[in-house]
């Protein structure tokens, strides 16, 4: 993990899992393409991610993303909070002992679910089974297996996901030392 990201995570460490996960997401997602208005306002454009999914802001996907719409920073912040809340609700349902995990483990799971969604793959994952069985370290070690996406019909490893999962695995196992 980069020293800059480590410092950002240290700054938000006491703010809870959602804020930690949002800091990770912001680091790895970036803001996406922007348009600067004549008055200096920055607006965020919808773009197609490497998997071919319409995305806006810092990794927001789904029905809230309207092709051609330009989003303000306030709209992006609201969408991101909404989607992290969705990920947190899924985590609490999918991982019955979620409340007993430390904030770093929770943040790793939230980032994973924010990025991948609550779907058949995440629901049936070995990662989930390991967490549920109490093998937390084993579940954390599964994170780095989630680095592939379909690009033009082919399953490929995405370097950005490799780095992101290495970070989430590290914080899941050790927190920030």
């Amino acid at each position: 993990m980069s020293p800059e990201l480590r410092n950002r995570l240290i700054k938000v460490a006491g703010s809870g899992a959602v804020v930690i996960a949002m800091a990770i997401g912001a680091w790895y997602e970036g803001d996406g393409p922007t348009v600067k208005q004549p008055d200096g306002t920055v607006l965020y454009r919808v773009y197609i991610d490497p998997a071919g999914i319409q995305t806006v802001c810092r990794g927001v996907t789904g029905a809230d993303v309207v092709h051609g719409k330009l989003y303000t920073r306030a709209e992006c912040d609201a969408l991101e909070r909404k989607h992290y809340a969705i990920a947190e609700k899924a985590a609490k349902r999918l991982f019955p002992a979620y409340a007993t995990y430390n904030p770093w483990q929770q943040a790793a799971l939230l980032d994973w679910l924010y990025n991948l969604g609550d779907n058949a793959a995440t629901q049936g994952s070995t990662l989930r089974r390991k967490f549920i069985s109490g093998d937390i370290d084993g579940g954390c070690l599964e994170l780095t297996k989630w680095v592939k996406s379909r690009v033009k019909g082919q399953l490929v490893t995405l370097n950005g996901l490799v780095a992101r999962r290495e970070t989430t695995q590290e914080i899941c196992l050790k927190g920030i030392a």
Side-chain angles (χ1 to χ4, degrees):
M1 171 184 339
S2 81
E4 186 180 346
L5 176 57
R6 179 177 300 285
N7 288 338
R8 286 185 189 187
L9 294 177
I10 289 168
K11 286 180 185 175
V12 299
S15 301
V18 172
V19 175
I20 294 168
M22 289 179 78
I24 294 166
W27 179 265
Y28 286 105
E29 294 286 350
D31 284 328
T34 59
V35 176
K36 192 169 187 175
Q37 299 298 294
D39 68 357
T41 302
V42 175
L43 300 174
Y44 300 83
R45 287 191 350 221
V46 174
Y47 63 97
I48 305 299
D49 77 1
I53 299 169
Q54 278 196 143
T55 308
V56 72
C57 309
R58 294 180 181 136
V60 175
T61 61
D64 289 322
V65 180
V66 178
H67 182 73
K69 176 176 169 45
L70 296 175
Y71 293 78
T72 66
R73 181 73 257 162
E75 288 172 315
C76 285
D77 290 345
L79 283 173
E80 290 160 19
R81 282 191 303 274
K82 174 184 175 182
H83 285 260
Y84 277 100
I86 291 167
E88 185 177 41
K89 184 176 179 182
K92 289 176 177 178
R93 184 178 50 75
L94 294 173
F95 299 91
Y98 178 81
T100 67
Y101 305 151
N102 71 47
W104 300 105
Q105 293 160 345
Q106 290 175 349
L109 292 173
L110 292 177
D111 181 70
W112 180 69
L113 286 166
Y114 177 84
N115 186 237
L116 294 166
D118 176 6
N119 54 50
T122 54
Q123 292 166 14
S125 68
T126 301
L127 182 153
R128 179 172 177 243
R129 284 194 302 275
K130 287 186 177 188
F131 267 92
I132 289 172
S133 74
D135 181 7
I136 307 305
D137 285 353
C140 293
L141 291 171
E142 290 291 314
L143 284 162
T144 54
K145 296 180 180 178
W146 293 84
V147 296
K148 295 183 185 278
S149 187
R150 291 216 177 269
V151 177
K152 298 179 182 173
Q154 299 293 325
L155 196 60
V156 297
T157 298
L158 299 179
N159 292 335
L161 286 180
V162 170
R164 185 175 188 161
R165 299 295 185 254
E166 286 172 354
T167 295
T168 53
Q169 181 182 77
E170 180 180 343
I171 69 163
C172 190
L173 289 169
K174 299 183 275 188
I176 295 292

